């Protein structure tokens, strides 16, 4: 007999309007309840450690901290919490990283509300949720990904990708260090590794390539 206990959900997103919209949506659903919200990774982890939810809905792009790091931390300290990534970012590129970090679902913010609810119920029941096309393409990529990733942004580690993305958003090194809780020297070391992996000869070209990548990721035209 199924439990009548409501599914407790924690929302992590640095946009208040998104949190309010999602909380209002979920409160209308029978059997779901909101047990907390946070705008950054550190606050979210502290709150969930104190009162663990059943499901955490996490955005990858947080102003302070990293959504991917939060997923890994939750996997380490609260492995029973089912994490769903609700993101505006390209599914194929980020879904693999999110699932590898420990997430059990990946949903785009543009998806219908019914898909978000379906994702919650599936991960709550121990299944993995993603668009079927995404799951198929992910399987193909996992089979033959190693050589294709070299020399591309896909070959960056999760932390290198986060630094690269923030560079593309125009954040200076000091701000990146502060928001990711790193030293400036550590961020500089990441920059050097990213340049090496992408074959970029200078810091200026690194920043330019990062800006181009973020513009492409956001669906804006990219100048050659």
């Amino acid at each position: 007999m199924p439990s009548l206990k409501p599914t407790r959900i924690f929302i992590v997103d640095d946009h208040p309007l998104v949190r309010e919209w999602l909380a209002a949506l979920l409160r209308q659903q029978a059997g779901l309840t909101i047990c907390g919200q946070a705008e950054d990774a550190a606050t979210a982890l502290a709150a969930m450690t104190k009162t663990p939810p059943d499901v955490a809905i996490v955005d990858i792009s947080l102003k302070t901290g990293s959504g991917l790091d939060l997923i890994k931390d939750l996997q380490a300290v609260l492995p029973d919490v089912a994490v769903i990534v609700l993101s505006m970012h390209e599914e194929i590129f980020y879904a693999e990283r999110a699932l590898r970090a420990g997430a059990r679902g990946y949903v785009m913010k543009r998806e219908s509300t019914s898909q978000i609810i379906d994702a919650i119920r599936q991960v709550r029941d121990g299944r993995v949720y993603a668009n079927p096309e995404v799951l198929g393409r992910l399987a193909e990529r996992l089979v033959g990904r190693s050589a294709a990733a070299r020399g591309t942004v896909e070959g960056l580690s999760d932390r290198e990708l986060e630094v690269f993305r923030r560079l593309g958003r125009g954040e200076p090194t000091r701000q990146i260090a502060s928001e990711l809780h790193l030293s400036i020297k550590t961020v500089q070391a990441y920059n050097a590794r990213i340049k090496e992996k992408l074959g970029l000869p200078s810091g200026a070209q690194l920043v330019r390539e990062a800006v181009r990548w973020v513009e492409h990721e956001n669906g804006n035209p990219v100048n050659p």
Side-chain angles (χ1 to χ4, degrees):
M1 180 176 178
S3 172
L4 298 179
K5 183 180 177 182
T7 299
R8 294 161 51 82
I9 300 171
F10 196 101
I11 302 169
V12 188
D13 197 295
D14 59 3
H15 292 90
L17 288 178
V18 172
R19 295 198 307 273
E20 291 170 12
W21 161 76
L22 187 56
L25 166 69
L26 298 180
R27 287 189 184 106
Q28 297 174 18
Q29 306 300 315
L32 304 182
T33 184
I34 305 301
C35 66
Q37 302 180 30
E39 65 177 3
D40 64 80
T43 302
L45 183 61
M48 283 189 272
T49 301
K50 185 176 180 180
T51 307
D54 301 303
V55 176
I57 299 178
V58 177
D59 190 357
I60 285 179
S61 299
L62 301 173
K63 183 176 181 181
T64 304
S66 162
L68 286 174
D69 284 347
L70 174 58
I71 295 168
K72 293 172 186 176
D73 289 340
L74 286 172
Q75 181 71 8
V77 301
L78 296 170
D80 291 334
V81 175
V83 178
I84 296 173
V85 171
L86 182 63
S87 178
M88 62 177 289
H89 294 305
E90 180 184 354
E91 291 167 296
I92 285 299
F93 190 78
Y94 279 99
E96 178 187 345
R97 290 175 183 265
L99 295 174
R100 194 169 61 222
R104 300 184 203 173
Y106 193 98
V107 184
M108 294 286 287
K109 287 183 176 178
R110 64 169 180 259
E111 301 290 1
S112 67
T113 55
S114 63
Q115 287 176 290
I116 296 173
I117 302 303
D118 190 30
I120 291 171
R121 290 177 174 152
Q122 287 205 35
V123 302
R124 177 196 61 190
D125 294 339
R127 296 190 292 272
V128 173
Y129 182 92
N131 181 302
E133 180 182 356
V134 168
L135 290 175
R137 290 168 63 187
L138 278 174
E140 293 174 1
R141 287 162 62 87
L142 288 171
V143 169
R145 59 162 294 175
S146 55
R150 289 197 208 100
T152 71
V153 176
E154 293 182 45
L156 301 180
S157 69
D158 292 342
R159 182 45 61 93
E160 289 165 353
L161 177 64
E162 182 68 17
V163 171
F164 186 70
R165 184 178 66 81
R166 289 173 182 272
L167 281 173
R169 288 168 48 182
E171 296 183 16
T173 298
R174 186 176 297 276
Q175 181 179 346
I176 294 172
S178 174
E179 292 182 350
L180 294 182
H181 308 293
L182 302 171
S183 70
I184 291 176
K185 287 186 177 181
T186 298
V187 174
Q188 291 171 337
Y190 278 124
N191 288 344
R193 288 208 293 269
I194 296 167
K195 282 194 300 180
E196 181 180 355
K197 286 186 175 184
L198 300 184
L200 301 171
S202 69
Q205 287 187 277
L206 170 62
V207 172
R208 182 183 177 192
E209 189 63 26
V211 169
R212 284 164 51 86
W213 186 79
V214 167
E215 288 178 345
H216 174 71
E217 186 184 40
N218 292 338
N220 298 323
V222 180
N223 297 322

